[in-house]
Amino acid sequence: MRSLDARHAVYAGSFDPITLGHRDIIQRGARMFDRLTVAIGVNPDKEPLFSPGERVDLIREIVSGLPNVAVASFTGLTVDFVRQVGAAVMLRGLRTLTDIEAEFTMTLANRALAGEIETVFLMASEKYSHISSTLIKQIARFSDDQSRSMLSAFVPPEVVDPLCARVRTRVD
Ligand code: ADP
C-alpha cells in the first residue's frame, strides 16, 4: 500500500453550486497544505442543479489563481477517493452546531473505514457562516433581474450568471 501524503488534503462536497463560504475554505486550505484537491461527490440518488462536469469547470475557473489546487469529481466513498489520490487529510468547513454534530458522526465513520486519514476542520468565516448552497438555490429561484445582483453576496461572481440561467430554465 502506498503511503499517503500528509501535506495533501481533499476538500469534498456537493458544491451545487460553489459558494463564497466554500471558496474561503479553499483559499485558506491552499495556504495550509502543499496540495489541495477539491472533490465533487456525485450522489446518484440526487438530481443536482449543475452536472458534475459543469461544477468541475466552474470551480476550476474560480481557483485558477491557486496553483496548488486541483479539481475532480468522484463517485463512491470519499475515503476511497482520498486514498486514490494519495492524500492523508480530509478538509471540512464548520458553520453551526448542527454542522458539528453531523461532521462528528461522519468523521467517526470515516475513521472506522480509513484510520490512516485525518479530518481537519476550519471554522467558517463569520462573513459566510450563514451561506449554504440550498439557501442560494432558493434565493436564485425567486430573484428577478433587479435583485439578482444580490446573489454576489453569496456566490463567487463566476457563478451568478450560470445560476440565474439554470434556475430560469428549471422554473419555465
Ligand atoms: P455536503 O454535501 O458534503 O454538505 P457541501 O458542498 O454543502 O457538501 O459542503 C462541503 C463542505 O463545506 C462541508 O464541510 C461544509 O460544512 C462546508 N461548508 C459549506 N458551506 C460553508 C460555508 N458557508 N462556510 C464554510 N464551510 C462551508
Side-chain angles (χ1 to χ4, degrees), residues 11-22 24-25 28 46 91-95 99 103 106 121-125 128-134:
Y11 179 40
S14 311
F15 307 109
D16 187 39
I18 181 173
T19 70
L20 290 178
H22 295 134
D24 182 58
I25 299 289
R28 290 159 60 196
K46 274 195 193 167
L91 182 66
R92 304 286 294 172
L94 289 175
R95 286 162 295 187
D99 267 1
E103 295 286 342
M106 203 173 358
F121 297 98
L122 289 180
M123 285 306 297
S125 156
Y128 306 131
S129 60
H130 57 293
I131 298 178
S132 71
S133 299
T134 308

Side-chain angles (χ1 to χ4, degrees), residues 4-169:
L4 302 178
D5 180 357
R7 300 295 313 149
H8 182 184
V10 169
Y11 179 40
S14 311
F15 307 109
D16 187 39
I18 181 173
T19 70
L20 290 178
H22 295 134
R23 190 184 69 179
D24 182 58
I25 299 289
I26 294 170
Q27 288 166 338
R28 290 159 60 196
R31 286 198 293 270
M32 290 170 61
F33 294 95
D34 291 344
R35 291 173 66 194
L36 180 69
T37 300
V38 180
I40 296 153
V42 179
N43 181 347
D45 299 331
K46 274 195 193 167
E47 205 199 318
L49 194 58
F50 293 101
S51 73
E54 287 170 330
R55 281 176 272 164
V56 167
D57 290 346
L58 259 180
I59 299 176
R60 282 208 178 121
E61 194 184 338
I62 289 159
V63 304
S64 60
L66 300 171
N68 61 339
V69 177
V71 186
S73 65
F74 70 98
T75 49
L77 292 175
T78 308
V79 286
D80 288 338
F81 176 80
V82 175
R83 276 202 197 104
Q84 200 185 309
V85 296
V89 178
M90 291 205 283
L91 182 66
R92 304 286 294 172
L94 289 175
R95 286 162 295 187
T96 58
L97 284 178
T98 321
D99 267 1
I100 292 177
E101 222 174 316
E103 295 286 342
F104 187 71
T105 315
M106 203 173 358
T107 302
L108 293 183
N110 283 333
R111 187 173 294 163
L113 292 168
E116 73 280 26
I117 296 169
E118 280 294 352
T119 305
V120 169
F121 297 98
L122 289 180
M123 285 306 297
S125 156
E126 64 281 10
K127 284 184 296 201
Y128 306 131
S129 60
H130 57 293
I131 298 178
S132 71
S133 299
T134 308
L135 171 77
I136 286 159
K137 282 183 265 197
Q138 282 167 358
I139 296 172
R141 230 160 253 147
F142 297 112
S143 64
D144 55 24
D145 282 345
Q146 267 162 5
S147 57
R148 64 189 285 197
S149 60
M150 286 180 338
L151 287 170
S152 50
F154 301 96
V155 293
E158 297 86 345
V159 177
V160 174
D161 284 347
L163 176 59
C164 290
R166 184 57 50 93
V167 293
R168 196 156 299 142
T169 52

